[in-house]
Amino acid sequence: NNYFVITYDKVYLMGATADRLTALIGGGSSTDDNIPALQTEILWGWGLTGDTGGNLYFSDYGSCVVLKYVKASGTVVTVAGMRGNCQYNGDYQPATNAMLAPMGIFFHDASNRLYIADVENNRIRFIQFPIGFIDTLAGTGLSGYVDDTGRFSSFSSPYDVWIAESGSLYVADMENNRLRRIDVSGSDVDVQTVGGDGSANYNGEDLPAEAGGLWSPSGVCGDSTGNIYVLGSDASFAIRKIDSQGMISRIKISSDGKYRACNSCVNEVF
């Protein structure tokens, strides 16, 4: 019943009643491994995910690393990246020897994989545990827009990743202004566009998702009923909903504090 929040320099624990935040990780100046979590330096925290064992994984984009909070010991270790080196230096190697620019991350318990949106290298990558090797799932490494299979597909600044209960992996493809879906269950690793027409604008409600504008999507998640939620990076930071029928709409916070589908609310303030 706990929630966790990441900021640019700390990870906080938020209780079930959401009445207080307690610093759990960060705020320190150490870049060593196996140190108490509050001594860890975080330069630009972004992605945050966890596994069923209660361990947390978070990306420090400012340091070009992905770190793990080990619940049993309360310490932090590096699981991917080399501090200060965000370029790409190859796959099929221990993740701690690899260079990357990590933003959104997602741990998938069923496959024991940590997926990473490698934003500057235009790749979707993963670490296979317990081996700890890193590989590219999709993306040529060059900025572009191509729906194809695996390494033949192209992204432009992929910012976030999330896996649905169906096993499909969704990517917030920021500079392409699109939501992409990757089939990670088959051998072909098909990449398809499922939201956004490529334009950075708002063009209405209740449209087929691929005809709806997505403004620099920077976050993606979903629920158990098949709805996908995409965070835009326009001035309003509007959240778009793509339902299980593939229709896109906006959502807003209603008077009871809950999100609901928002139809014809172009002029409302979010």
Side-chain angles (χ1 to χ4, degrees), residues 181-237:
R181 181 177 64 204
I182 304 176
D183 178 9
V184 296
S185 61
S187 58
D188 290 336
V189 193
D190 287 324
V191 179
Q192 295 180 320
T193 298
V194 293
D197 63 359
S199 62
N201 61 23
Y202 170 80
N203 61 351
E205 300 292 341
D206 298 319
L207 304 170
E210 290 182 60
L214 289 176
W215 196 317
S216 300
S218 60
V220 59
C221 66
D223 61 31
S224 60
T225 63
N227 298 310
I228 308 297
Y229 303 94
V230 185
L231 175 66
S233 298
D234 57 322
S236 68
F237 282 92

Coordinates of all heavy atoms in Angstrom, one line a residue, residues 181-237:
R181 N 3.9 0.6 -30.1 CA 3.7 -0.6 -29.4 C 4.6 -1.7 -30.0 O 4.8 -1.8 -31.2 CB 2.3 -1.1 -29.5 CG 2.0 -2.4 -28.8 CD 0.5 -2.8 -28.9 NE 0.1 -3.1 -30.3 CZ -1.1 -3.0 -30.7 NH1 -2.1 -2.6 -30.0 NH2 -1.3 -3.3 -32.0
I182 N 5.3 -2.4 -29.1 CA 6.2 -3.5 -29.5 C 5.7 -4.8 -29.0 O 5.4 -5.0 -27.8 CB 7.6 -3.2 -28.9 CG1 8.2 -1.8 -29.3 CG2 8.6 -4.3 -29.3 CD1 9.5 -1.5 -28.7
D183 N 5.6 -5.8 -29.9 CA 5.2 -7.1 -29.5 C 6.5 -7.8 -29.0 O 7.3 -8.2 -29.8 CB 4.6 -7.8 -30.7 CG 4.2 -9.3 -30.5 OD1 4.3 -9.7 -29.3 OD2 3.9 -10.0 -31.4
V184 N 6.6 -8.0 -27.7 CA 7.7 -8.7 -27.2 C 7.5 -10.2 -27.0 O 8.4 -10.9 -26.5 CB 8.1 -8.1 -25.8 CG1 8.6 -6.6 -26.0 CG2 7.0 -8.1 -24.8
S185 N 6.3 -10.7 -27.4 CA 6.0 -12.1 -27.2 C 6.5 -12.9 -28.3 O 6.8 -14.1 -28.2 CB 4.5 -12.3 -26.9 OG 3.8 -11.8 -28.1
G186 N 6.5 -12.3 -29.5 CA 6.9 -13.1 -30.7 C 8.4 -12.9 -31.1 O 9.1 -12.1 -30.5
S187 N 8.8 -13.7 -32.0 CA 10.2 -13.7 -32.4 C 10.6 -12.5 -33.3 O 11.7 -12.1 -33.4 CB 10.6 -15.0 -33.1 OG 9.8 -15.1 -34.3
D188 N 9.5 -11.9 -33.9 CA 9.8 -10.8 -34.9 C 9.9 -9.4 -34.2 O 10.4 -8.5 -34.8 CB 8.7 -10.7 -35.9 CG 8.7 -11.9 -36.9 OD1 9.8 -12.5 -37.0 OD2 7.7 -12.3 -37.4
V189 N 9.4 -9.3 -33.0 CA 9.4 -8.0 -32.3 C 8.9 -6.9 -33.1 O 9.6 -5.9 -33.5 CB 10.9 -7.7 -31.8 CG1 10.8 -6.5 -30.8 CG2 11.5 -8.9 -31.1
D190 N 7.6 -7.0 -33.5 CA 7.0 -6.0 -34.4 C 6.8 -4.7 -33.7 O 6.3 -4.7 -32.5 CB 5.6 -6.5 -34.9 CG 5.8 -7.6 -35.9 OD1 6.7 -7.5 -36.7 OD2 5.0 -8.6 -35.9
V191 N 7.1 -3.6 -34.3 CA 6.8 -2.3 -33.8 C 5.7 -1.6 -34.6 O 5.8 -1.6 -35.8 CB 8.1 -1.4 -33.9 CG1 7.8 0.0 -33.3 CG2 9.2 -2.1 -33.1
Q192 N 4.7 -1.1 -33.9 CA 3.6 -0.5 -34.6 C 3.2 0.8 -33.9 O 3.4 1.0 -32.7 CB 2.3 -1.4 -34.6 CG 2.5 -2.7 -35.4 CD 1.2 -3.5 -35.3 OE1 0.6 -3.6 -34.2 NE2 0.8 -4.1 -36.4
T193 N 2.7 1.8 -34.7 CA 2.2 3.0 -34.1 C 0.7 2.8 -33.7 O -0.1 2.3 -34.5 CB 2.3 4.2 -35.1 OG1 3.6 4.4 -35.5 CG2 1.7 5.4 -34.6
V194 N 0.4 3.2 -32.5 CA -1.0 3.0 -32.0 C -1.6 4.3 -31.5 O -2.7 4.3 -31.1 CB -1.0 1.9 -30.8 CG1 -0.7 0.5 -31.4 CG2 -0.1 2.3 -29.7
G195 N -0.8 5.4 -31.6 CA -1.4 6.7 -31.2 C -0.5 7.8 -31.7 O 0.7 7.7 -31.8
G196 N -1.2 8.9 -32.1 CA -0.5 10.0 -32.6 C -0.4 10.0 -34.1 O -0.1 9.0 -34.8
D197 N -0.6 11.2 -34.7 CA -0.5 11.3 -36.2 C 0.8 12.0 -36.6 O 1.1 12.3 -37.8 CB -1.6 12.1 -36.8 CG -1.7 13.5 -36.3 OD1 -0.9 13.9 -35.4 OD2 -2.7 14.3 -36.7
G198 N 1.7 12.2 -35.6 CA 3.0 12.8 -35.9 C 3.0 14.3 -35.7 O 4.1 14.9 -35.7
S199 N 1.9 14.9 -35.4 CA 1.8 16.4 -35.2 C 1.8 16.7 -33.7 O 1.2 16.0 -32.9 CB 0.5 17.0 -35.9 OG -0.6 16.4 -35.3
A200 N 2.5 17.8 -33.4 CA 2.5 18.2 -32.0 C 1.4 19.2 -31.7 O 1.6 20.4 -31.6 CB 3.9 18.8 -31.7
N201 N 0.2 18.7 -31.7 CA -0.9 19.6 -31.5 C -2.1 18.8 -30.9 O -2.1 17.6 -30.7 CB -1.4 20.3 -32.8 CG -1.8 19.3 -33.8 OD1 -2.2 18.2 -33.6 ND2 -1.7 19.8 -35.1
Y202 N -3.1 19.5 -30.6 CA -4.4 18.9 -30.1 C -5.4 19.1 -31.1 O -5.7 20.2 -31.6 CB -4.8 19.6 -28.8 CG -6.2 19.2 -28.3 CD1 -6.4 18.0 -27.7 CD2 -7.3 20.0 -28.6 CE1 -7.7 17.6 -27.3 CE2 -8.6 19.6 -28.2 CZ -8.8 18.4 -27.6 OH -10.0 18.0 -27.2
N203 N -6.0 18.0 -31.6 CA -6.9 18.1 -32.7 C -8.3 17.4 -32.5 O -8.9 17.0 -33.4 CB -6.3 17.6 -34.0 CG -6.0 16.1 -33.9 OD1 -6.1 15.5 -32.8 ND2 -5.6 15.5 -35.0
G204 N -8.7 17.4 -31.2 CA -10.0 16.9 -30.9 C -10.1 15.6 -30.1 O -9.1 15.0 -29.7
E205 N -11.4 15.2 -29.8 CA -11.7 14.1 -29.0 C -12.4 13.0 -29.8 O -12.9 13.2 -30.8 CB -12.6 14.6 -27.8 CG -12.0 15.7 -27.0 CD -10.9 15.2 -26.1 OE1 -10.7 13.9 -26.0 OE2 -10.1 16.0 -25.7
D206 N -12.4 11.8 -29.1 CA -13.1 10.6 -29.7 C -12.7 10.4 -31.1 O -13.6 10.1 -32.0 CB -14.6 10.8 -29.5 CG -15.0 11.0 -28.0 OD1 -14.4 10.2 -27.2 OD2 -15.8 11.8 -27.7
L207 N -11.4 10.4 -31.4 CA -10.9 10.1 -32.7 C -10.2 8.8 -32.6 O -9.7 8.3 -31.6 CB -9.9 11.2 -33.1 CG -10.3 12.6 -33.2 CD1 -9.1 13.5 -33.4 CD2 -11.4 12.8 -34.3
P208 N -10.0 8.1 -33.8 CA -9.1 6.9 -33.8 C -7.7 7.4 -33.3 O -7.3 8.5 -33.7 CB -9.1 6.5 -35.2 CG -10.4 7.0 -35.8 CD -10.7 8.3 -35.0
A209 N -7.1 6.7 -32.4 CA -5.9 7.2 -31.8 C -4.8 7.6 -32.7 O -4.1 8.6 -32.5 CB -5.4 6.1 -30.8
E210 N -4.7 6.9 -33.8 CA -3.6 7.2 -34.8 C -3.9 8.5 -35.6 O -3.0 9.0 -36.2 CB -3.4 6.1 -35.8 CG -2.8 4.9 -35.2 CD -2.5 3.8 -36.2 OE1 -1.8 4.0 -37.1 OE2 -3.1 2.7 -36.0
A211 N -5.1 9.0 -35.4 CA -5.5 10.3 -36.1 C -5.4 11.5 -35.1 O -5.6 12.6 -35.4 CB -6.9 10.2 -36.7
G212 N -5.2 11.2 -33.8 CA -5.1 12.2 -32.8 C -3.7 12.7 -32.6 O -2.7 12.0 -32.6
G213 N -3.6 14.0 -32.3 CA -2.3 14.6 -32.1 C -1.8 14.3 -30.7 O -2.6 14.3 -29.7
L214 N -0.5 14.0 -30.6 CA 0.1 13.8 -29.3 C 1.3 14.8 -29.2 O 2.2 14.8 -30.1 CB 0.7 12.4 -29.1 CG -0.4 11.3 -28.9 CD1 0.3 9.9 -28.8 CD2 -1.2 11.5 -27.6
W215 N 1.3 15.6 -28.2 CA 2.3 16.7 -28.1 C 3.5 16.2 -27.3 O 3.5 16.2 -26.1 CB 1.7 17.9 -27.5 CG 2.6 19.2 -27.7 CD1 3.9 19.3 -27.6 CD2 2.1 20.4 -28.1 NE1 4.3 20.6 -27.9 CE2 3.2 21.3 -28.2 CE3 0.8 21.0 -28.3 CZ2 3.0 22.7 -28.5 CZ3 0.7 22.3 -28.6 CH2 1.8 23.1 -28.7
S216 N 4.6 15.7 -28.0 CA 5.8 15.3 -27.3 C 5.5 14.4 -26.1 O 5.8 14.8 -24.9 CB 6.6 16.5 -26.8 OG 7.0 17.3 -27.9
P217 N 5.0 13.2 -26.3 CA 4.7 12.4 -25.2 C 5.9 12.0 -24.4 O 6.9 11.5 -24.9 CB 4.0 11.1 -25.8 CG 4.5 11.2 -27.2 CD 4.7 12.6 -27.6
S218 N 5.8 12.1 -23.1 CA 6.9 11.9 -22.2 C 6.7 10.8 -21.1 O 7.6 10.4 -20.4 CB 7.4 13.1 -21.5 OG 6.3 13.6 -20.7
G219 N 5.4 10.3 -21.1 CA 5.1 9.2 -20.1 C 4.0 8.4 -20.6 O 3.1 8.8 -21.4
V220 N 4.0 7.1 -20.2 CA 3.0 6.2 -20.6 C 2.7 5.2 -19.5 O 3.7 4.7 -18.9 CB 3.3 5.5 -22.0 CG1 4.6 4.7 -21.9 CG2 2.2 4.6 -22.4
C221 N 1.5 4.8 -19.3 CA 1.1 3.7 -18.4 C -0.3 3.3 -18.8 O -0.9 3.8 -19.7 CB 1.1 4.2 -16.9 SG -0.1 5.5 -16.5
G222 N -0.9 2.4 -18.0 CA -2.2 1.9 -18.4 C -2.9 1.2 -17.2 O -2.3 1.2 -16.1
D223 N -4.1 0.7 -17.4 CA -4.8 0.1 -16.3 C -5.2 -1.3 -16.8 O -4.9 -1.8 -17.9 CB -6.0 0.9 -15.9 CG -7.0 1.1 -17.0 OD1 -7.2 0.2 -17.9 OD2 -7.7 2.2 -17.1
S224 N -5.9 -2.0 -15.9 CA -6.2 -3.5 -16.1 C -7.3 -3.7 -17.1 O -7.6 -4.8 -17.5 CB -6.5 -4.1 -14.8 OG -7.6 -3.5 -14.1
T225 N -8.0 -2.6 -17.5 CA -9.1 -2.7 -18.4 C -8.7 -2.5 -19.8 O -9.6 -2.4 -20.7 CB -10.3 -1.8 -18.0 OG1 -9.9 -0.4 -18.1 CG2 -10.8 -2.1 -16.6
G226 N -7.4 -2.2 -20.1 CA -7.0 -2.0 -21.4 C -6.8 -0.6 -21.9 O -6.5 -0.3 -23.0
N227 N -7.1 0.4 -21.0 CA -6.9 1.8 -21.3 C -5.4 2.1 -21.2 O -4.7 1.7 -20.2 CB -7.7 2.7 -20.4 CG -9.2 2.4 -20.5 OD1 -9.7 2.4 -21.6 ND2 -9.8 2.3 -19.4
I228 N -4.9 3.0 -22.1 CA -3.5 3.5 -22.0 C -3.6 5.0 -21.8 O -4.4 5.7 -22.4 CB -2.8 3.2 -23.4 CG1 -2.9 1.7 -23.7 CG2 -1.3 3.6 -23.3 CD1 -2.3 0.8 -22.8
Y229 N -2.7 5.5 -21.0 CA -2.6 6.9 -20.6 C -1.3 7.5 -21.1 O -0.3 6.9 -20.8 CB -2.9 7.1 -19.1 CG -4.2 6.6 -18.7 CD1 -4.3 5.3 -18.1 CD2 -5.4 7.3 -18.8 CE1 -5.5 4.7 -17.7 CE2 -6.6 6.7 -18.4 CZ -6.6 5.5 -17.9 OH -7.8 4.9 -17.5
V230 N -1.3 8.6 -21.7 CA -0.1 9.2 -22.3 C 0.0 10.6 -21.8 O -0.9 11.4 -21.9 CB -0.1 9.2 -23.8 CG1 1.2 9.7 -24.4 CG2 -0.4 7.8 -24.3
L231 N 1.1 11.0 -21.2 CA 1.4 12.3 -20.7 C 2.0 13.1 -21.8 O 3.1 12.7 -22.3 CB 2.3 12.3 -19.5 CG 2.7 13.6 -18.9 CD1 1.6 14.4 -18.4 CD2 3.8 13.4 -17.8
G232 N 1.4 14.3 -22.1 CA 2.0 15.2 -23.1 C 2.9 16.2 -22.5 O 2.9 16.4 -21.3
S233 N 3.8 16.8 -23.3 CA 4.7 17.8 -22.8 C 4.4 19.2 -23.3 O 5.3 20.1 -23.3 CB 6.1 17.4 -23.1 OG 6.5 16.2 -22.6
D234 N 3.1 19.4 -23.7 CA 2.7 20.8 -24.0 C 2.5 21.6 -22.8 O 2.8 21.1 -21.7 CB 1.5 20.7 -24.9 CG 0.3 20.1 -24.2 OD1 0.6 19.0 -23.5 OD2 -0.8 20.5 -24.3
A235 N 2.1 22.8 -22.9 CA 2.0 23.8 -21.8 C 1.1 23.3 -20.7 O 1.3 23.5 -19.5 CB 1.6 25.1 -22.3
S236 N 0.0 22.5 -21.1 CA -0.9 22.0 -20.1 C -0.6 20.7 -19.5 O -1.2 20.3 -18.5 CB -2.3 21.9 -20.8 OG -2.3 20.9 -21.7
F237 N 0.4 20.0 -20.1 CA 0.8 18.6 -19.6 C -0.5 17.8 -19.6 O -0.7 17.1 -18.6 CB 1.5 18.6 -18.3 CG 3.0 19.0 -18.4 CD1 3.4 20.4 -18.3 CD2 3.9 18.1 -18.7 CE1 4.7 20.8 -18.4 CE2 5.3 18.5 -18.9 CZ 5.6 19.8 -18.7

